[in-house]
Each structure stands twice: as C-alpha cells, then as structure tokens.
Amino acid sequence: MFRLQSSKVLAVDMTGDAVKAKNGSMVAYDGDMAFKKLSGGGEGLRGMVTRRLTGEQMTLMEVKGHGTCFFADRASEISLVGLQGDKLYVESSNLLATDGGLRTGTSFTGARGASQGNGLFTTTIEGHGQAALLSDGPAVLLRVSPQYPLTVDPGAYVAHQGNLRQSFQSGVTFRTLLGEGGGEAFQIRFEGDGLVYVQPSERNTIAGDV
C-alpha cells in the first residue's frame, strides 16, 4: 500500500481503503479521493483534550478512495516502518502517514519535554500496517542491545520501537563541549532491545545553553 515515489515523496495506492496523514501533506492524487480532517490526531474528543493538556500536537486528515495519493512535507526525507502488532513511538512532528487501521495515541515520556518544549508525551502507533516517518536528512536506524545502550540528543530523536526503556539525564552536546553553545539540558538514554531512528540534523529546542 505504501511505497516511496522518491526519497521525499510517499505514494499510497488505495482501493477504497483509508490512510491517515499529516494535515496539508497531500501534494497530488489520481482517481477519486475524499478528505476529512481528524480532531485530536484521529482520536476524537478524548484525544483532542489529552493533547491540549500535554502539549503534544498532531493534526491529521483521513484520505479515502480509489487511486494513488502522494504525500510530502517540506522536502523532508521519508522512511517506511512496518508494524506487526507492535508499537512505534514517534515525535508528532516526524509522523507523515499511517495505514487507516493503525491506532494512534499518546505515551508519557517524562522530563524530555523540559528540554524540547514538545510536551511530556510522545505519539504512539500500534497494530498491523505501515507508517511513514519524516526526518531532516536521511534517517539513521540504530540498534540497541542489552550490552550496548544508546544515548541520543533530543533534537535528533525521531522514533523508536522494541523492548526499550527510556531515561533522561543531564548532558551536553559535542558542540557545547567545543564551546559553540546550543547544548541540550537533557539527553535520552535507551536500554534494552530495539531500534531507534535519529535524524542527522537537530530540530529547534528551547533548552538553551547548558
């Protein structure tokens, strides 16, 4: 159903089924399509209230019809992730589209909001199907194992999946160590067994210099 037309354009072939996508990300389509804005990230009133309380913002639209719909967002790179009943955690700003049957929600992630300003919750996606992620530059997929935990700059974090535990620790970036400023007040540490997606460019944060 999902395929990459290029590294920056997602093509979704539909035969009467639906897809949820970032509002305003449709760039072209052929065939017969209907578009509907979803409140609260597609979770209805309860989801909308939860997101207002937590600050996690995700505005989605539902596209349904027959034909092919093309999606893109500010020339960002796109990565496809297949879910087989498992759960994917992703920053809302890095989510482009999901199969209509996948469930979206929110998950508490603790103090990371203090460093990013993106709220204390992260978007969750679960079920069977595909999701398309956005990244500033080609996303890098990093393996976490019990022997090799991983520490990630909050501004570079995109998503993660698997049996991973998150913790947040004070830290600085290499640029701060070099005296260039712009360091993060927190770093994200992953332990366990799973995968972490990072982007080779940091999003703007409000942490300030350490």
Side-chain angles (χ1 to χ4, degrees):
M1 185 178 178
F2 282 24
R3 57 185 172 85
L4 293 181
Q5 187 74 10
S6 73
S7 65
K8 300 179 181 180
V9 178
L10 171 69
V12 182
D13 300 314
M14 289 183 280
T15 56
D17 40 359
V19 62
K20 290 183 287 188
K22 188 173 185 178
N23 198 41
S25 62
M26 189 276 295
V27 295
Y29 70 89
D30 59 44
D32 184 18
M33 300 288 172
F35 301 86
K36 180 175 69 174
K37 185 177 180 180
L38 299 176
S39 298
E43 301 166 339
L45 181 60
R46 182 178 178 181
M48 183 167 59
V49 171
T50 299
R51 292 183 186 282
R52 284 180 176 174
L53 290 175
T54 63
E56 174 75 357
Q57 300 296 322
M58 183 177 66
T59 304
L60 296 179
M61 61 180 178
E62 181 184 71
V63 184
K64 188 174 184 179
H66 293 78
T68 302
C69 201
F70 301 90
F71 301 93
D73 185 61
R74 295 173 295 180
S76 297
E77 298 283 338
I78 300 171
S79 300
L80 298 183
V81 179
L83 298 178
Q84 301 295 327
D86 50 331
K87 182 181 291 187
L88 176 71
Y89 299 80
V90 57
E91 285 297 323
S92 60
S93 60
N94 292 101
L95 179 60
L96 177 62
T98 72
D99 280 340
L102 289 174
R103 300 181 300 279
T104 57
T106 54
S107 177
F108 182 69
T109 57
R112 183 165 52 84
S115 67
Q116 280 191 260
N118 285 355
L120 299 179
F121 283 66
T122 291
T123 296
T124 60
I125 306 166
E126 57 184 320
H128 292 79
Q130 287 183 293
L133 307 183
L134 297 166
S135 59
D136 187 3
V140 178
L141 186 58
L142 302 175
R143 165 69 66 178
V144 180
S145 68
Q147 296 81 15
Y148 295 99
L150 180 70
T151 302
V152 177
D153 190 303
Y157 169 78
V158 173
H160 74 273
Q161 62 186 137
N163 185 22
L164 293 176
R165 300 181 303 278
Q166 281 181 275
S167 59
F168 305 92
Q169 57 190 24
S170 297
V172 293
T173 63
F174 288 115
R175 287 184 294 173
T176 301
L177 292 173
L178 293 172
E180 297 179 9
E184 298 299 337
F186 296 93
Q187 293 175 339
I188 312 173
R189 181 179 174 87
F190 292 95
E191 297 177 277
D193 187 10
L195 300 171
V196 178
Y197 297 79
V198 298
Q199 59 187 8
S201 175
E202 293 181 280
R203 68 175 66 83
N204 293 327
T205 66
I206 61 170
D209 295 341
V210 175

